Amino acid sequence: HMEAYPVDCGQGRICGDKEEVLEEIRKNNHFLLASTVTEIDLSYENIEDEATALICEALKTNKTLTTLNISVSNIGKRGAFFIGELLKTNNTITTLDLDSSNIGDHVSIICEALKVNDTLTTLSLNGADIGEESARLISEVLKVNNTLNTINLNYNEIGENGAKNISEALKVNKSITTLDLSGEKILILSRFRDWR
């Protein structure tokens, strides 16, 4: 029988109040290494850089986590760095949700990690302040990453050039099956991609 933690939501999920989760990590980060933890959901907890660093460091050697949701947060350069480092070392996370994370241009750090990561399949960056340059960097990832199959970029401002860069990358990418650009203020091209 596994030890129950105050932030254990059952069925392998860690969720709840940010301060409780962080306190549990500070006391004993081994609970994040528990063989039953498959998902951490800290959405709407306004996670910032310090908390992101603490969580990512504790997860580097986790072998069971598949979903990390830190949406509706405030992730800056330092937080992005730690997420990037996590993606370089952790080989079980398949879903990363950074919706409304204010990550903006710092997504460039995560893009570098995704060039070598071969387990993440879903990246959600809805409303995450992704602009044209960040879209270009995401397109560079798409040219070399063959495991991502879903990218959500709703409600960002990637612009026409960002959309064109992604469109060009999709010509060589063989893994993307879902690309969501709804809410984008771009001219929708009649043939965005030759779907296979």
Side-chain angles (χ1 to χ4, degrees), residues 148-183:
L148 274 172
N149 58 43
T150 301
I151 297 184
N152 297 317
L153 290 170
N154 309 3
Y155 300 101
N156 286 291
E157 296 195 13
I158 67 169
E160 285 190 45
N161 286 333
K164 286 176 188 174
N165 286 327
I166 289 173
S167 178
E168 288 300 310
L170 290 174
K171 291 178 182 177
V172 297
N173 180 286
K174 303 293 184 223
S175 63
I176 292 290
T177 58
T178 305
L179 172 64
D180 192 343
L181 296 174
S182 57

Side-chain angles (χ1 to χ4, degrees), residues 18-177:
K18 168 179 72 173
E19 293 309 318
E20 288 178 357
V21 173
L22 296 178
E23 182 59 31
E24 202 62 47
I25 294 170
R26 285 183 190 104
K27 284 192 313 192
N28 174 15
N29 76 6
H30 296 294
F31 91 99
L32 289 181
L33 303 178
S35 61
T36 58
V37 176
T38 59
E39 178 181 350
I40 294 179
D41 182 353
L42 290 171
S43 56
Y44 295 92
E45 287 294 323
N46 195 28
I47 298 295
E48 295 179 343
D49 285 354
E50 179 191 348
T52 303
L54 195 60
I55 292 164
C56 290
E57 280 298 300
L59 287 173
K60 272 189 172 178
T61 56
N62 177 284
K63 301 290 185 220
T64 58
L65 189 78
T66 59
T67 302
L68 179 57
N69 181 346
I70 46 179
S71 60
V72 192
S73 56
N74 194 16
I75 298 172
K77 186 174 185 176
R78 186 167 178 258
F81 170 80
F82 281 97
I83 294 169
E85 291 300 300
L86 175 64
L87 290 174
K88 288 177 187 175
T89 59
N90 180 292
N91 60 4
T92 60
I93 297 174
T94 57
T95 301
L96 178 60
D97 187 340
L98 297 172
D99 292 351
S100 300
S101 63
N102 297 316
I103 198 162
D105 291 341
H106 302 307
V107 79
S108 62
I109 299 166
I110 293 170
C111 286
E112 284 306 307
L114 289 175
K115 289 180 180 178
V116 297
N117 177 285
D118 62 0
T119 54
L120 197 73
T121 59
T122 302
L123 176 62
S124 196
L125 292 164
N126 299 327
D129 295 329
I130 303 300
E132 196 170 284
E133 175 60 13
S134 294
R136 185 189 66 74
L137 296 171
I138 291 167
S139 75
E140 294 300 315
V141 169
L142 294 178
K143 291 176 183 175
V144 297
N145 181 301
N146 291 310
T147 53
L148 274 172
N149 58 43
T150 301
I151 297 184
N152 297 317
L153 290 170
N154 309 3
Y155 300 101
N156 286 291
E157 296 195 13
I158 67 169
E160 285 190 45
N161 286 333
K164 286 176 188 174
N165 286 327
I166 289 173
S167 178
E168 288 300 310
L170 290 174
K171 291 178 182 177
V172 297
N173 180 286
K174 303 293 184 223
S175 63
I176 292 290
T177 58

